[in-house]
Amino acid sequence: MINDKKVLYSGMQATGNLTLGNYLGALKNWLTLNEEYECFWGVMDLHSLTVRQVPSEFRKNARNLLILYIAAGLDPKKNCIYFQSHVSAHAELAWLLNCFTYVGELNRMTQYKEKAAKHADNVNAGLFTYPVLMAADILLYQADYVPVGKDQKQHLEITRDIAERFNAIYGDVFTIPEPYFGKGGTKIMSLQNPEQKMSKSDENVNGSIYLMDDPDTILRKCKRAVTDSGSEVCYREDKPGVSNLLEIYASCAGKSIEEAEKEFAGVGYGEFKTAVAEAVIAVLKPLQDECSRLQKEKDYIDALIKENDEKAAYFANKTLRKAKKKLGLTEVR
């Protein structure tokens, strides 16, 4: 607990371009959490290294993600927005926690199995121990809550197991984090395969709307979106394509699904898709404009990075020192 507030921790990987799904499903819902919680938002660049990166692009993407956090409305004075790799305690605690994590636990991680299958030519140890670094991320800040989606639930469970195992031996070193179930984010699916979540790593670029896509690109992607048999614009299980477009429209237009269905009653798919594109463009343009402005404010962003990195390091190192002392590691006096 910091300043009488519970601590909430989350972050995003610094790879590729974020999608509309990332924004509507997570980032948009982070904006008011600092009123109730002490929030730490990481640019998770160390996690990104399990896949080979082009250094110049990677560096640019990481900085752009931090700028995007701020452009989206996360106040860097009220939230701690920092680079994971700038706080060495993440890597150091991850090694300590590796010694309290069982191989069998890591073998059960479904994300490891999925990513190993997808990147069969680069099944590295970092991919295998990824959940331990994630545990270190969370435990360093004594997080009370972590927003989790379905694909991250297993990682929070192993974080809790590691922390409880350590605490059982050495006392209450780590806060045991709970999943945060606030206002549910909208789950946005691929425009080309509405059975799968919209993803920034989708090989089909027409399946995802990226936050920096220009209006013409957004319109083209929406027009090419997979729909369903029939012509009725309605939200039904047997119409996943149209239902996904309704989710996107309703979220961007600030309407309920029911209101959106009534609005497009009797309207053809072509006109409906154009309206979806226009709603997305209207939401993304202010965000894009603010990102563009902040990218030109180099000194301002550099100062924020330094200030937030130092704040994160202060809290992380407090926990790391406590864990090292409990383990009997030699202290510098």
Side-chain angles (χ1 to χ4, degrees):
M1 184 175 290
I2 303 171
N3 298 326
D4 297 324
K5 287 184 177 181
K6 297 280 190 178
V7 177
L8 185 141
Y9 185 92
S10 192
M12 293 184 183
Q13 279 201 48
T15 50
N17 298 311
L18 293 190
T19 69
L20 183 68
N22 296 128
Y23 178 70
L24 297 177
L27 185 52
K28 183 181 177 184
N29 298 298
W30 291 357
L31 301 184
T32 59
L33 292 176
N34 66 80
E35 300 301 326
E36 185 175 354
Y37 302 100
E38 186 74 26
C39 297
F40 290 84
W41 310 112
V43 175
M44 314 311 286
D45 46 359
L46 292 178
H47 284 298
S48 305
L49 295 175
T50 59
V51 177
R52 297 288 176 261
Q53 303 294 333
V54 177
S56 58
E57 292 180 8
F58 182 39
R59 194 175 296 113
K60 181 180 177 182
N61 285 339
R63 186 179 177 92
N64 284 345
L65 177 56
L66 181 133
I67 287 173
L68 180 64
Y69 282 169
I70 299 168
L74 289 177
D75 187 338
K77 298 294 183 181
K78 295 180 179 179
N79 301 268
C80 184
I81 306 170
Y82 75 102
F83 285 95
Q84 180 191 28
S85 66
H86 294 190
V87 181
S88 60
H90 283 264
E92 194 169 349
L93 183 62
W95 171 251
L96 302 183
L97 297 182
N98 265 318
C99 301
F100 293 84
T101 306
Y102 300 132
V103 171
E105 292 175 310
L106 296 175
N107 270 326
R108 289 194 292 271
M109 295 291 106
T110 55
Q111 259 199 0
Y112 165 70
K113 295 173 185 176
E114 291 168 1
K115 289 188 176 182
K118 191 173 183 180
H119 302 283
D121 59 333
N122 182 25
V123 184
N124 55 74
L127 194 63
F128 188 63
T129 61
Y130 181 104
V132 186
L133 178 57
M134 185 176 285
D137 301 334
I138 296 165
L139 299 177
L140 275 174
Y141 300 94
Q142 303 292 351
D144 297 284
Y145 295 105
V146 180
V148 289
K150 185 178 180 182
D151 56 345
Q152 297 296 335
K153 187 178 177 182
Q154 238 190 349
H155 287 159
L156 184 60
E157 288 172 354
I158 196 173
T159 297
R160 289 170 53 86
D161 290 342
I162 295 167
E164 287 170 350
R165 187 172 300 137
F166 195 101
N167 286 356
I169 301 170
Y170 298 107
D172 293 331
V173 178
F174 301 119
T175 299
I176 307 301
E178 299 284 346
Y180 172 78
F181 299 114
K183 181 183 177 183
T186 303
K187 188 175 182 181
I188 303 300
M189 312 305 283
S190 166
L191 297 181
Q192 292 299 308
N193 183 0
E195 302 293 337
Q196 294 182 359
K197 191 168 72 169
M198 184 178 286
S199 170
K200 59 183 176 180
S201 60
D202 194 335
E203 293 179 1
N204 186 345
V205 295
N206 291 313
S208 299
I209 294 173
Y210 300 104
L211 297 187
M212 295 301 131
D213 278 348
D214 61 62
D216 288 343
T217 300
I218 294 170
L219 180 60
R220 184 178 70 252
K221 288 181 177 180
C222 286
K223 284 187 173 181
R224 290 179 179 176
V226 169
T227 48
D228 313 282
S229 59
S231 59
E232 186 182 4
V233 178
C234 62
Y235 195 90
R236 289 206 317 254
E237 190 174 340
D238 64 339
K239 294 175 77 72
V242 171
S243 296
N244 186 42
L245 290 173
L246 276 169
E247 286 273 16
I248 293 171
Y249 178 80
S251 296
C252 291
K255 298 181 179 181
S256 68
I257 294 292
E258 292 75 17
E259 288 171 333
E261 283 181 310
K262 289 178 182 177
E263 183 176 347
F264 294 106
V267 173
Y269 283 167
E271 186 178 339
F272 169 54
K273 288 180 176 181
T274 299
V276 173
E278 289 172 349
V280 172
I281 291 165
V283 163
L284 294 188
K285 189 176 187 309
L287 180 66
Q288 293 171 349
D289 289 347
E290 183 64 3
C291 279
S292 179
R293 184 188 72 80
L294 288 171
Q295 283 167 348
K296 298 171 186 174
E297 300 287 339
K298 184 178 183 302
D299 291 345
Y300 170 70
I301 294 299
D302 286 347
L304 286 179
I305 290 172
K306 185 174 186 296
E307 180 182 335
N308 280 259
D309 284 351
E310 287 175 352
K311 179 180 178 182
Y314 170 77
F315 289 107
N317 285 323
K318 278 178 65 176
T319 298
L320 180 62
R321 285 193 300 269
K322 187 176 181 181
K324 289 170 72 174
K325 184 175 181 181
K326 290 288 187 178
L327 287 168
L329 292 171
T330 304
E331 297 177 71
V332 177
R333 296 186 184 277

